[in-house]
Amino acid sequence: MTHRLSDELICPVYRLQNIIGGKWKIIILYELSTQTRRFNELQRSIPGISKGILTQQLRELEADHMIHREVYKEVPPKVEYSLTTLAQSFNPIIQSMDQWGKEYLGS
């Protein structure tokens, strides 16, 4: 199927790819699918991701309403990241990807 540019702008798969595209976004969503995490916890759970890239990917996911950033008024400031309801509805897809990956690596 050939898409014209105008079709790509409204195609749901194209729009989803723009939201979750990027080397780390699926991994970030996967890590947050099990629990709320602080920035350093999240960075430690994703080997190879730099602080700057993690910050950028988190901001993009927040702008796309996939994650919630909670800032607590403490000293030092405490910030936690969690999935939004929208992102939680994406969890079955992430779990399917996890299962497929396990099967693929097992073969």
Side-chain angles (χ1 to χ4, degrees):
M1 175 185 230
T2 303
H3 291 286
R4 295 183 316 271
L5 180 58
S6 60
D7 293 336
E8 291 175 351
L9 294 176
I10 59 171
C11 173
V13 173
Y14 179 82
R15 290 173 60 197
L16 175 61
Q17 195 279 329
N18 283 334
I19 293 169
I20 63 169
K23 183 175 180 179
W24 302 105
K25 287 183 181 178
I26 289 288
I27 303 301
I28 292 167
L29 293 172
Y30 176 76
E31 289 297 326
L32 292 175
S33 72
T34 58
Q35 65 185 14
T36 297
R37 295 184 189 241
R38 294 177 72 174
F39 184 90
N40 288 335
E41 292 174 313
L42 196 52
Q43 187 176 16
R44 281 191 300 273
S45 72
I46 306 172
I49 193 168
S50 71
K51 183 178 180 178
I53 294 297
L54 179 56
T55 299
Q56 175 189 345
Q57 299 280 277
L58 288 169
R59 285 181 182 157
E60 290 174 11
L61 287 166
E62 185 180 12
D64 287 325
H65 309 287
M66 296 294 283
I67 63 167
H68 173 71
R69 180 177 183 262
E70 183 74 30
V71 180
Y72 296 91
K73 307 265 189 242
E74 298 178 0
V75 178
K78 177 181 172 183
V79 179
E80 291 183 334
Y81 296 92
S82 60
L83 297 182
T84 63
T85 303
L86 176 64
Q88 289 172 6
S89 71
F90 191 69
N91 273 348
I93 296 166
I94 292 175
Q95 296 307 315
S96 291
M97 292 171 70
D98 179 51
Q99 184 60 39
W100 187 90
K102 288 174 183 172
E103 291 172 11
Y104 176 80
L105 292 173
S107 60

